[in-house]
PDB file of all heavy atoms in Angstrom:
ATOM      1  N   GLU T   1      23.462  -0.887-133.434  1.00 97.00           N
ATOM      2  CA  GLU T   1      23.902  -1.320-134.767  1.00 97.00           C
ATOM      3  C   GLU T   1      24.096  -0.123-135.686  1.00 97.00           C
ATOM      4  O   GLU T   1      23.425   0.895-135.546  1.00 97.00           O
ATOM      5  CB  GLU T   1      22.859  -2.271-135.382  1.00 97.00           C
ATOM      6  CG  GLU T   1      21.506  -1.630-135.617  1.00 97.00           C
ATOM      7  CD  GLU T   1      20.534  -2.551-136.326  1.00 97.00           C
ATOM      8  OE1 GLU T   1      20.884  -3.695-136.672  1.00 97.00           O
ATOM      9  OE2 GLU T   1      19.379  -2.107-136.578  1.00 97.00           O
ATOM     10  N   LEU T   2      25.017  -0.296-136.643  1.00 98.00           N
ATOM     11  CA  LEU T   2      25.250   0.745-137.627  1.00 98.00           C
ATOM     12  C   LEU T   2      24.041   0.883-138.542  1.00 98.00           C
ATOM     13  O   LEU T   2      23.520  -0.105-139.043  1.00 98.00           O
ATOM     14  CB  LEU T   2      26.499   0.415-138.451  1.00 98.00           C
ATOM     15  CG  LEU T   2      26.779   1.344-139.632  1.00 98.00           C
ATOM     16  CD1 LEU T   2      27.196   2.729-139.154  1.00 98.00           C
ATOM     17  CD2 LEU T   2      27.831   0.743-140.536  1.00 98.00           C
ATOM     18  N   VAL T   3      23.636   2.122-138.751  1.00 98.00           N
ATOM     19  CA  VAL T   3      22.589   2.401-139.746  1.00 98.00           C
ATOM     20  C   VAL T   3      23.261   2.883-141.041  1.00 98.00           C
ATOM     21  O   VAL T   3      23.053   2.335-142.120  1.00 98.00           O
ATOM     22  CB  VAL T   3      21.611   3.463-139.234  1.00 98.00           C
ATOM     23  CG1 VAL T   3      20.586   3.804-140.282  1.00 98.00           C
ATOM     24  CG2 VAL T   3      20.935   2.976-137.949  1.00 98.00           C
ATOM     25  N   ALA T   4      24.054   3.956-140.942  1.00 98.00           N
ATOM     26  CA  ALA T   4      24.740   4.510-142.107  1.00 98.00           C
ATOM     27  C   ALA T   4      25.816   5.452-141.647  1.00 98.00           C
ATOM     28  O   ALA T   4      25.687   6.084-140.585  1.00 98.00           O
ATOM     29  CB  ALA T   4      23.749   5.246-142.998  1.00 98.00           C
ATOM     30  N   ASN T   5      26.891   5.523-142.411  1.00 97.00           N
ATOM     31  CA  ASN T   5      27.876   6.551-142.147  1.00 97.00           C
ATOM     32  C   ASN T   5      28.453   7.063-143.442  1.00 97.00           C
ATOM     33  O   ASN T   5      28.242   6.493-144.531  1.00 97.00           O
ATOM     34  CB  ASN T   5      28.964   6.093-141.168  1.00 97.00           C
ATOM     35  CG  ASN T   5      29.755   4.886-141.655  1.00 97.00           C
ATOM     36  OD1 ASN T   5      29.664   4.514-142.818  1.00 97.00           O
ATOM     37  ND2 ASN T   5      30.527   4.293-140.784  1.00 97.00           N
ATOM     38  N   ILE T   6      29.131   8.200-143.336  1.00 97.00           N
ATOM     39  CA  ILE T   6      29.675   8.875-144.508  1.00 97.00           C
ATOM     40  C   ILE T   6      31.033   9.440-144.136  1.00 97.00           C
ATOM     41  O   ILE T   6      31.212  10.044-143.080  1.00 97.00           O
ATOM     42  CB  ILE T   6      28.716   9.973-145.028  1.00 97.00           C
ATOM     43  CG1 ILE T   6      29.268  10.659-146.254  1.00 97.00           C
ATOM     44  CG2 ILE T   6      28.376  10.971-143.928  1.00 97.00           C
ATOM     45  CD1 ILE T   6      28.230  11.560-146.974  1.00 97.00           C
ATOM     46  N   PHE T   7      31.997   9.241-145.048  1.00 94.00           N
ATOM     47  CA  PHE T   7      33.351   9.708-144.807  1.00 94.00           C
ATOM     48  C   PHE T   7      33.517  11.102-145.370  1.00 94.00           C
ATOM     49  O   PHE T   7      32.684  11.584-146.146  1.00 94.00           O
ATOM     50  CB  PHE T   7      34.349   8.717-145.401  1.00 94.00           C
ATOM     51  CG  PHE T   7      34.376   7.397-144.666  1.00 94.00           C
ATOM     52  CD1 PHE T   7      33.419   6.439-144.938  1.00 94.00           C
ATOM     53  CD2 PHE T   7      35.303   7.159-143.684  1.00 94.00           C
ATOM     54  CE1 PHE T   7      33.426   5.222-144.253  1.00 94.00           C
ATOM     55  CE2 PHE T   7      35.315   5.966-142.985  1.00 94.00           C
ATOM     56  CZ  PHE T   7      34.357   5.005-143.273  1.00 94.00           C
ATOM     57  N   TYR T   8      34.602  11.768-144.976  1.00 90.00           N
ATOM     58  CA  TYR T   8      34.811  13.150-145.345  1.00 90.00           C
ATOM     59  C   TYR T   8      34.745  13.341-146.863  1.00 90.00           C
ATOM     60  O   TYR T   8      34.195  14.309-147.345  1.00 90.00           O
ATOM     61  CB  TYR T   8      36.150  13.665-144.802  1.00 90.00           C
ATOM     62  CG  TYR T   8      36.349  15.138-144.957  1.00 90.00           C
ATOM     63  CD1 TYR T   8      35.876  16.026-143.996  1.00 90.00           C
ATOM     64  CD2 TYR T   8      37.008  15.665-146.079  1.00 90.00           C
ATOM     65  CE1 TYR T   8      36.055  17.393-144.140  1.00 90.00           C
ATOM     66  CE2 TYR T   8      37.193  17.018-146.233  1.00 90.00           C
ATOM     67  CZ  TYR T   8      36.710  17.871-145.256  1.00 90.00           C
ATOM     68  OH  TYR T   8      36.883  19.230-145.398  1.00 90.00           O
ATOM     69  N   GLY T   9      35.266  12.371-147.611  1.00 89.00           N
ATOM     70  CA  GLY T   9      35.271  12.480-149.073  1.00 89.00           C
ATOM     71  C   GLY T   9      33.969  12.104-149.743  1.00 89.00           C
ATOM     72  O   GLY T   9      33.825  12.290-150.953  1.00 89.00           O
ATOM     73  N   GLY T  10      33.024  11.573-148.963  1.00 92.00           N
ATOM     74  CA  GLY T  10      31.698  11.288-149.495  1.00 92.00           C
ATOM     75  C   GLY T  10      31.358   9.809-149.603  1.00 92.00           C
ATOM     76  O   GLY T  10      30.203   9.488-149.883  1.00 92.00           O
ATOM     77  N   ASN T  11      32.276   8.919-149.375  1.00 96.00           N
ATOM     78  CA  ASN T  11      31.938   7.491-149.400  1.00 96.00           C
ATOM     79  C   ASN T  11      30.964   7.164-148.275  1.00 96.00           C
ATOM     80  O   ASN T  11      31.055   7.717-147.180  1.00 96.00           O
ATOM     81  CB  ASN T  11      33.197   6.631-149.252  1.00 96.00           C
ATOM     82  CG  ASN T  11      34.082   6.691-150.475  1.00 96.00           C
ATOM     83  OD1 ASN T  11      33.618   6.997-151.584  1.00 96.00           O
ATOM     84  ND2 ASN T  11      35.357   6.404-150.314  1.00 96.00           N
ATOM     85  N   THR T  12      30.059   6.245-148.542  1.00 98.00           N
ATOM     86  CA  THR T  12      29.016   5.906-147.579  1.00 98.00           C
ATOM     87  C   THR T  12      28.919   4.400-147.350  1.00 98.00           C
ATOM     88  O   THR T  12      29.334   3.606-148.191  1.00 98.00           O
ATOM     89  CB  THR T  12      27.637   6.390-148.073  1.00 98.00           C
ATOM     90  OG1 THR T  12      27.366   5.807-149.348  1.00 98.00           O
ATOM     91  CG2 THR T  12      27.590   7.900-148.184  1.00 98.00           C
ATOM     92  N   ASN T  13      28.395   4.044-146.188  1.00 97.00           N
ATOM     93  CA  ASN T  13      28.061   2.675-145.844  1.00 97.00           C
ATOM     94  C   ASN T  13      26.639   2.650-145.299  1.00 97.00           C
ATOM     95  O   ASN T  13      26.255   3.558-144.566  1.00 97.00           O
ATOM     96  CB  ASN T  13      28.994   2.119-144.757  1.00 97.00           C
ATOM     97  CG  ASN T  13      30.426   1.920-145.247  1.00 97.00           C
ATOM     98  OD1 ASN T  13      30.651   1.329-146.272  1.00 97.00           O
ATOM     99  ND2 ASN T  13      31.378   2.472-144.484  1.00 97.00           N
ATOM    100  N   TYR T  14      25.904   1.583-145.647  1.00 98.00           N
ATOM    101  CA  TYR T  14      24.537   1.436-145.148  1.00 98.00           C
ATOM    102  C   TYR T  14      24.332   0.022-144.644  1.00 98.00           C
ATOM    103  O   TYR T  14      24.836  -0.950-145.219  1.00 98.00           O
ATOM    104  CB  TYR T  14      23.529   1.691-146.281  1.00 98.00           C
ATOM    105  CG  TYR T  14      23.439   3.114-146.736  1.00 98.00           C
ATOM    106  CD1 TYR T  14      24.169   3.565-147.830  1.00 98.00           C
ATOM    107  CD2 TYR T  14      22.588   4.032-146.115  1.00 98.00           C
ATOM    108  CE1 TYR T  14      24.102   4.862-148.269  1.00 98.00           C
ATOM    109  CE2 TYR T  14      22.481   5.335-146.561  1.00 98.00           C
ATOM    110  CZ  TYR T  14      23.238   5.745-147.632  1.00 98.00           C
ATOM    111  OH  TYR T  14      23.144   7.056-148.051  1.00 98.00           O
ATOM    112  N   ALA T  15      23.517  -0.102-143.613  1.00 98.00           N
ATOM    113  CA  ALA T  15      23.037  -1.416-143.207  1.00 98.00           C
ATOM    114  C   ALA T  15      22.128  -1.954-144.310  1.00 98.00           C
ATOM    115  O   ALA T  15      21.396  -1.176-144.956  1.00 98.00           O
ATOM    116  CB  ALA T  15      22.269  -1.328-141.903  1.00 98.00           C
ATOM    117  N   ASP T  16      22.166  -3.241-144.538  1.00 98.00           N
ATOM    118  CA  ASP T  16      21.344  -3.828-145.578  1.00 98.00           C
ATOM    119  C   ASP T  16      19.861  -3.520-145.389  1.00 98.00           C
ATOM    120  O   ASP T  16      19.104  -3.323-146.351  1.00 98.00           O
ATOM    121  CB  ASP T  16      21.536  -5.343-145.628  1.00 98.00           C
ATOM    122  CG  ASP T  16      22.882  -5.729-146.207  1.00 98.00           C
ATOM    123  OD1 ASP T  16      23.544  -4.876-146.863  1.00 98.00           O
ATOM    124  OD2 ASP T  16      23.312  -6.896-145.997  1.00 98.00           O
ATOM    125  N   SER T  17      19.439  -3.429-144.148  1.00 97.00           N
ATOM    126  CA  SER T  17      18.032  -3.250-143.832  1.00 97.00           C
ATOM    127  C   SER T  17      17.501  -1.852-144.216  1.00 97.00           C
ATOM    128  O   SER T  17      16.296  -1.666-144.269  1.00 97.00           O
ATOM    129  CB  SER T  17      17.775  -3.480-142.352  1.00 97.00           C
ATOM    130  OG  SER T  17      18.548  -2.587-141.558  1.00 97.00           O
ATOM    131  N   VAL T  18      18.393  -0.917-144.461  1.00 98.00           N
ATOM    132  CA  VAL T  18      17.943   0.445-144.765  1.00 98.00           C
ATOM    133  C   VAL T  18      18.316   0.878-146.169  1.00 98.00           C
ATOM    134  O   VAL T  18      17.913   1.966-146.612  1.00 98.00           O
ATOM    135  CB  VAL T  18      18.494   1.481-143.756  1.00 98.00           C
ATOM    136  CG1 VAL T  18      18.162   1.047-142.325  1.00 98.00           C
ATOM    137  CG2 VAL T  18      19.985   1.697-143.928  1.00 98.00           C
ATOM    138  N   LYS T  19      19.043   0.063-146.902  1.00 98.00           N
ATOM    139  CA  LYS T  19      19.455   0.425-148.243  1.00 98.00           C
ATOM    140  C   LYS T  19      18.229   0.699-149.119  1.00 98.00           C
ATOM    141  O   LYS T  19      17.251  -0.056-149.114  1.00 98.00           O
ATOM    142  CB  LYS T  19      20.301  -0.668-148.867  1.00 98.00           C
ATOM    143  CG  LYS T  19      21.718  -0.734-148.327  1.00 98.00           C
ATOM    144  CD  LYS T  19      22.519  -1.870-148.988  1.00 98.00           C
ATOM    145  CE  LYS T  19      23.925  -1.915-148.424  1.00 98.00           C
ATOM    146  NZ  LYS T  19      24.730  -3.028-149.005  1.00 98.00           N
ATOM    147  N   GLY T  20      18.287   1.790-149.864  1.00 98.00           N
ATOM    148  CA  GLY T  20      17.169   2.165-150.731  1.00 98.00           C
ATOM    149  C   GLY T  20      16.092   2.980-150.031  1.00 98.00           C
ATOM    150  O   GLY T  20      15.199   3.515-150.713  1.00 98.00           O
ATOM    151  N   ARG T  21      16.152   3.049-148.716  1.00 98.00           N
ATOM    152  CA  ARG T  21      15.136   3.815-147.946  1.00 98.00           C
ATOM    153  C   ARG T  21      15.762   5.025-147.231  1.00 98.00           C
ATOM    154  O   ARG T  21      15.122   6.060-147.091  1.00 98.00           O
ATOM    155  CB  ARG T  21      14.452   2.925-146.939  1.00 98.00           C
ATOM    156  CG  ARG T  21      13.735   1.737-147.549  1.00 98.00           C
ATOM    157  CD  ARG T  21      12.902   0.996-146.491  1.00 98.00           C
ATOM    158  NE  ARG T  21      13.733   0.415-145.413  1.00 98.00           N
ATOM    159  CZ  ARG T  21      13.576   0.723-144.127  1.00 98.00           C
ATOM    160  NH1 ARG T  21      12.652   1.586-143.730  1.00 98.00           N
ATOM    161  NH2 ARG T  21      14.362   0.145-143.217  1.00 98.00           N
ATOM    162  N   PHE T  22      16.982   4.859-146.739  1.00 98.00           N
ATOM    163  CA  PHE T  22      17.651   5.920-145.974  1.00 98.00           C
ATOM    164  C   PHE T  22      18.772   6.507-146.796  1.00 98.00           C
ATOM    165  O   PHE T  22      19.427   5.787-147.574  1.00 98.00           O
ATOM    166  CB  PHE T  22      18.262   5.349-144.692  1.00 98.00           C
ATOM    167  CG  PHE T  22      17.250   4.930-143.656  1.00 98.00           C
ATOM    168  CD1 PHE T  22      15.899   4.821-143.912  1.00 98.00           C
ATOM    169  CD2 PHE T  22      17.671   4.601-142.374  1.00 98.00           C
ATOM    170  CE1 PHE T  22      14.985   4.425-142.950  1.00 98.00           C
ATOM    171  CE2 PHE T  22      16.803   4.212-141.382  1.00 98.00           C
ATOM    172  CZ  PHE T  22      15.438   4.109-141.686  1.00 98.00           C
ATOM    173  N   THR T  23      19.035   7.770-146.608  1.00 98.00           N
ATOM    174  CA  THR T  23      20.147   8.446-147.243  1.00 98.00           C
ATOM    175  C   THR T  23      20.918   9.287-146.221  1.00 98.00           C
ATOM    176  O   THR T  23      20.322  10.116-145.533  1.00 98.00           O
ATOM    177  CB  THR T  23      19.671   9.376-148.371  1.00 98.00           C
ATOM    178  OG1 THR T  23      18.924   8.621-149.338  1.00 98.00           O
ATOM    179  CG2 THR T  23      20.848  10.033-149.077  1.00 98.00           C
ATOM    180  N   VAL T  24      22.219   9.019-146.110  1.00 98.00           N
ATOM    181  CA  VAL T  24      23.075   9.784-145.224  1.00 98.00           C
ATOM    182  C   VAL T  24      23.811  10.850-146.064  1.00 98.00           C
ATOM    183  O   VAL T  24      24.246  10.579-147.181  1.00 98.00           O
ATOM    184  CB  VAL T  24      24.050   8.879-144.465  1.00 98.00           C
ATOM    185  CG1 VAL T  24      25.025   8.181-145.394  1.00 98.00           C
ATOM    186  CG2 VAL T  24      24.806   9.675-143.394  1.00 98.00           C
ATOM    187  N   SER T  25      23.936  12.046-145.494  1.00 97.00           N
ATOM    188  CA  SER T  25      24.671  13.112-146.175  1.00 97.00           C
ATOM    189  C   SER T  25      25.329  13.995-145.097  1.00 97.00           C
ATOM    190  O   SER T  25      25.037  13.869-143.916  1.00 97.00           O
ATOM    191  CB  SER T  25      23.727  13.940-147.028  1.00 97.00           C
ATOM    192  OG  SER T  25      22.707  14.528-146.267  1.00 97.00           O
ATOM    193  N   ARG T  26      26.238  14.841-145.538  1.00 94.00           N
ATOM    194  CA  ARG T  26      26.896  15.728-144.574  1.00 94.00           C
ATOM    195  C   ARG T  26      27.263  17.033-145.242  1.00 94.00           C
ATOM    196  O   ARG T  26      27.437  17.120-146.474  1.00 94.00           O
ATOM    197  CB  ARG T  26      28.147  15.053-143.971  1.00 94.00           C
ATOM    198  CG  ARG T  26      29.269  14.802-144.938  1.00 94.00           C
ATOM    199  CD  ARG T  26      30.335  13.923-144.317  1.00 94.00           C
ATOM    200  NE  ARG T  26      31.223  14.674-143.393  1.00 94.00           N
ATOM    201  CZ  ARG T  26      32.176  14.114-142.677  1.00 94.00           C
ATOM    202  NH1 ARG T  26      32.364  12.795-142.719  1.00 94.00           N
ATOM    203  NH2 ARG T  26      32.959  14.848-141.901  1.00 94.00           N
ATOM    204  N   ASP T  27      27.349  18.041-144.403  1.00 92.00           N
ATOM    205  CA  ASP T  27      27.813  19.364-144.796  1.00 92.00           C
ATOM    206  C   ASP T  27      29.104  19.607-144.030  1.00 92.00           C
ATOM    207  O   ASP T  27      29.057  19.925-142.842  1.00 92.00           O
ATOM    208  CB  ASP T  27      26.734  20.419-144.476  1.00 92.00           C
ATOM    209  CG  ASP T  27      27.112  21.798-144.962  1.00 92.00           C
ATOM    210  OD1 ASP T  27      28.333  22.106-145.030  1.00 92.00           O
ATOM    211  OD2 ASP T  27      26.209  22.597-145.248  1.00 92.00           O
ATOM    212  N   ASN T  28      30.231  19.462-144.696  1.00 89.00           N
ATOM    213  CA  ASN T  28      31.512  19.574-143.992  1.00 89.00           C
ATOM    214  C   ASN T  28      31.739  20.989-143.455  1.00 89.00           C
ATOM    215  O   ASN T  28      32.355  21.163-142.413  1.00 89.00           O
ATOM    216  CB  ASN T  28      32.655  19.159-144.929  1.00 89.00           C
ATOM    217  CG  ASN T  28      32.655  17.679-145.211  1.00 89.00           C
ATOM    218  OD1 ASN T  28      32.235  16.871-144.387  1.00 89.00           O
ATOM    219  ND2 ASN T  28      33.098  17.320-146.403  1.00 89.00           N
ATOM    220  N   ALA T  29      31.257  21.977-144.165  1.00 88.00           N
ATOM    221  CA  ALA T  29      31.427  23.360-143.724  1.00 88.00           C
ATOM    222  C   ALA T  29      30.693  23.592-142.395  1.00 88.00           C
ATOM    223  O   ALA T  29      31.137  24.418-141.585  1.00 88.00           O
ATOM    224  CB  ALA T  29      30.953  24.326-144.782  1.00 88.00           C
ATOM    225  N   LYS T  30      29.584  22.916-142.186  1.00 90.00           N
ATOM    226  CA  LYS T  30      28.785  23.068-140.969  1.00 90.00           C
ATOM    227  C   LYS T  30      29.046  21.960-139.960  1.00 90.00           C
ATOM    228  O   LYS T  30      28.409  21.955-138.900  1.00 90.00           O
ATOM    229  CB  LYS T  30      27.307  23.108-141.326  1.00 90.00           C
ATOM    230  CG  LYS T  30      26.909  24.294-142.194  1.00 90.00           C
ATOM    231  CD  LYS T  30      25.402  24.266-142.459  1.00 90.00           C
ATOM    232  CE  LYS T  30      24.984  25.468-143.299  1.00 90.00           C
ATOM    233  NZ  LYS T  30      23.522  25.444-143.584  1.00 90.00           N
ATOM    234  N   ASN T  31      29.933  21.013-140.287  1.00 89.00           N
ATOM    235  CA  ASN T  31      30.169  19.865-139.404  1.00 89.00           C
ATOM    236  C   ASN T  31      28.864  19.211-139.009  1.00 89.00           C
ATOM    237  O   ASN T  31      28.636  18.871-137.830  1.00 89.00           O
ATOM    238  CB  ASN T  31      30.937  20.290-138.178  1.00 89.00           C
ATOM    239  CG  ASN T  31      32.350  20.705-138.494  1.00 89.00           C
ATOM    240  OD1 ASN T  31      33.069  20.041-139.223  1.00 89.00           O
ATOM    241  ND2 ASN T  31      32.761  21.851-137.975  1.00 89.00           N
ATOM    242  N   THR T  32      28.013  18.984-139.968  1.00 93.00           N
ATOM    243  CA  THR T  32      26.686  18.444-139.713  1.00 93.00           C
ATOM    244  C   THR T  32      26.434  17.229-140.607  1.00 93.00           C
ATOM    245  O   THR T  32      26.814  17.248-141.779  1.00 93.00           O
ATOM    246  CB  THR T  32      25.605  19.491-139.968  1.00 93.00           C
ATOM    247  OG1 THR T  32      25.814  20.594-139.097  1.00 93.00           O
ATOM    248  CG2 THR T  32      24.219  18.915-139.695  1.00 93.00           C
ATOM    249  N   VAL T  33      25.844  16.206-140.004  1.00 96.00           N
ATOM    250  CA  VAL T  33      25.464  15.013-140.758  1.00 96.00           C
ATOM    251  C   VAL T  33      23.957  14.846-140.663  1.00 96.00           C
ATOM    252  O   VAL T  33      23.330  15.193-139.644  1.00 96.00           O
ATOM    253  CB  VAL T  33      26.204  13.757-140.223  1.00 96.00           C
ATOM    254  CG1 VAL T  33      25.835  13.432-138.772  1.00 96.00           C
ATOM    255  CG2 VAL T  33      25.976  12.554-141.109  1.00 96.00           C
ATOM    256  N   TYR T  34      23.369  14.345-141.741  1.00 98.00           N
ATOM    257  CA  TYR T  34      21.928  14.186-141.839  1.00 98.00           C
ATOM    258  C   TYR T  34      21.588  12.728-142.152  1.00 98.00           C
ATOM    259  O   TYR T  34      22.383  12.003-142.752  1.00 98.00           O
ATOM    260  CB  TYR T  34      21.355  15.064-142.948  1.00 98.00           C
ATOM    261  CG  TYR T  34      21.734  16.528-142.851  1.00 98.00           C
ATOM    262  CD1 TYR T  34      22.847  17.028-143.520  1.00 98.00           C
ATOM    263  CD2 TYR T  34      21.006  17.395-142.050  1.00 98.00           C
ATOM    264  CE1 TYR T  34      23.213  18.364-143.410  1.00 98.00           C
ATOM    265  CE2 TYR T  34      21.348  18.719-141.942  1.00 98.00           C
ATOM    266  CZ  TYR T  34      22.458  19.197-142.631  1.00 98.00           C
ATOM    267  OH  TYR T  34      22.817  20.520-142.522  1.00 98.00           O
ATOM    268  N   LEU T  35      20.383  12.331-141.779  1.00 98.00           N
ATOM    269  CA  LEU T  35      19.867  11.021-142.151  1.00 98.00           C
ATOM    270  C   LEU T  35      18.426  11.209-142.609  1.00 98.00           C
ATOM    271  O   LEU T  35      17.549  11.488-141.787  1.00 98.00           O
ATOM    272  CB  LEU T  35      19.940  10.018-140.998  1.00 98.00           C
ATOM    273  CG  LEU T  35      19.558   8.596-141.358  1.00 98.00           C
ATOM    274  CD1 LEU T  35      20.567   7.979-142.310  1.00 98.00           C
ATOM    275  CD2 LEU T  35      19.418   7.730-140.090  1.00 98.00           C
ATOM    276  N   GLN T  36      18.209  11.075-143.902  1.00 98.00           N
ATOM    277  CA  GLN T  36      16.852  11.132-144.450  1.00 98.00           C
ATOM    278  C   GLN T  36      16.306   9.718-144.456  1.00 98.00           C
ATOM    279  O   GLN T  36      16.882   8.814-145.064  1.00 98.00           O
ATOM    280  CB  GLN T  36      16.875  11.684-145.871  1.00 98.00           C
ATOM    281  CG  GLN T  36      15.517  11.722-146.536  1.00 98.00           C
ATOM    282  CD  GLN T  36      14.549  12.702-145.871  1.00 98.00           C
ATOM    283  OE1 GLN T  36      14.942  13.824-145.525  1.00 98.00           O
ATOM    284  NE2 GLN T  36      13.302  12.284-145.674  1.00 98.00           N
ATOM    285  N   MET T  37      15.209   9.531-143.741  1.00 98.00           N
ATOM    286  CA  MET T  37      14.602   8.208-143.603  1.00 98.00           C
ATOM    287  C   MET T  37      13.249   8.201-144.263  1.00 98.00           C
ATOM    288  O   MET T  37      12.341   8.905-143.823  1.00 98.00           O
ATOM    289  CB  MET T  37      14.495   7.831-142.115  1.00 98.00           C
ATOM    290  CG  MET T  37      15.822   7.907-141.380  1.00 98.00           C
ATOM    291  SD  MET T  37      15.708   7.335-139.663  1.00 98.00           S
ATOM    292  CE  MET T  37      14.671   8.620-138.946  1.00 98.00           C
ATOM    293  N   ASN T  38      13.092   7.406-145.294  1.00 98.00           N
ATOM    294  CA  ASN T  38      11.836   7.266-146.022  1.00 98.00           C
ATOM    295  C   ASN T  38      11.291   5.863-145.874  1.00 98.00           C
ATOM    296  O   ASN T  38      12.028   4.940-145.508  1.00 98.00           O
ATOM    297  CB  ASN T  38      12.038   7.599-147.483  1.00 98.00           C
ATOM    298  CG  ASN T  38      12.499   9.030-147.720  1.00 98.00           C
ATOM    299  OD1 ASN T  38      12.125   9.947-146.968  1.00 98.00           O
ATOM    300  ND2 ASN T  38      13.306   9.231-148.744  1.00 98.00           N
ATOM    301  N   SER T  39      10.034   5.690-146.189  1.00 98.00           N
ATOM    302  CA  SER T  39       9.398   4.371-146.129  1.00 98.00           C
ATOM    303  C   SER T  39       9.681   3.676-144.786  1.00 98.00           C
ATOM    304  O   SER T  39      10.066   2.499-144.762  1.00 98.00           O
ATOM    305  CB  SER T  39       9.864   3.505-147.307  1.00 98.00           C
ATOM    306  OG  SER T  39       9.585   4.111-148.544  1.00 98.00           O
ATOM    307  N   LEU T  40       9.492   4.399-143.724  1.00 98.00           N
ATOM    308  CA  LEU T  40       9.817   3.869-142.415  1.00 98.00           C
ATOM    309  C   LEU T  40       8.951   2.671-142.035  1.00 98.00           C
ATOM    310  O   LEU T  40       7.762   2.608-142.405  1.00 98.00           O
ATOM    311  CB  LEU T  40       9.694   4.954-141.355  1.00 98.00           C
ATOM    312  CG  LEU T  40      10.876   5.937-141.332  1.00 98.00           C
ATOM    313  CD1 LEU T  40      10.490   7.245-140.649  1.00 98.00           C
ATOM    314  CD2 LEU T  40      12.063   5.292-140.615  1.00 98.00           C
TER     315      LEU T  40
END
């Protein structure tokens, strides 16, 4: 199942179950995506 994704311009999508707890981000220069997961 989808948890979260982020588009090149910065738009994001989250599963309802993780909204407010998880944060997706990316560094385009490094071609790297991150997922910060809190309140697991």
